[in-house]
Amino acid sequence: MRSREYDLQFRDRAARVRTWGVILLSLAGALWIWCAVLLVTPYEADTSTGTDHRSPAHCESRLFTDRGTANHGLREGDYCANERDWPEALAVLGLSVPLSAVGVGLFTLGTVSRRMSAHAEAMRELDRLAEEREG
């Protein structure tokens, strides 16, 4: 295999690694958006019990509430208290951490590999031009 063919294959592999990094970073970003939706948007809680069908309770967002906390009505039997709980949002956020760490690593590896390959090619071309001038 000639060095040019090997270099092109190396760049293709680096591009694939970089693409996987972008995909993982996109997934981590989607998880961040999902976490933000869970915390910032108002929602409805099911108030029906068994055969009793009542209209859903309208709940404020978990983060922006006029009361002290979003669990303010827990003692009064508020239906909104446990509908969107903090552990769910934190689990989504926690899942994004390894995805983003691996995504950053792969993206960086792919980018640096391509840049180093381009640098090595430029150096070979400069050496070739210098040899032609001398010879």
Side-chain angles (χ1 to χ4, degrees):
M1 177 183 298
R2 301 200 55 139
S3 64
R4 178 156 173 78
E5 294 171 12
Y6 178 78
D7 193 44
L8 291 174
Q9 287 180 356
F10 180 80
R11 286 186 191 194
D12 287 341
R13 284 191 307 268
R16 283 194 300 271
V17 167
R18 183 177 179 205
T19 301
W20 275 107
V22 169
I23 290 170
L24 290 177
L25 285 172
S26 299
L27 287 173
L31 289 174
W32 274 83
I33 291 170
W34 184 17
C35 181
V37 165
L38 287 175
L39 294 177
V40 174
T41 58
Y43 57 98
E44 293 181 348
D46 186 25
T47 59
S48 61
T49 55
T51 59
D52 183 21
H53 298 289
R54 293 185 242 167
S55 63
H58 297 286
C59 307
E60 297 177 30
S61 69
R62 298 295 285 172
L63 209 54
F64 303 119
T65 180
D66 291 337
R67 297 175 287 188
T69 67
N71 288 332
H72 180 74
L74 187 59
R75 289 187 201 100
E76 290 90 34
D78 186 9
Y79 291 100
C80 298
N82 290 325
E83 188 68 23
R84 282 192 186 172
D85 214 1
W86 286 103
E88 179 185 358
L90 291 176
V92 169
L93 194 60
L95 184 60
S96 73
V97 172
L99 283 177
S100 59
V102 172
V104 165
L106 290 177
F107 181 81
T108 303
L109 178 67
T111 301
V112 169
S113 295
R114 284 187 63 116
R115 300 260 332 240
M116 292 303 295
S117 175
H119 175 73
E121 182 182 359
M123 294 303 291
R124 284 191 303 269
E125 184 66 22
L126 287 173
D127 287 343
R128 187 184 61 79
L129 289 174
E131 288 174 3
E132 286 178 1
R133 283 187 192 157
E134 291 173 3

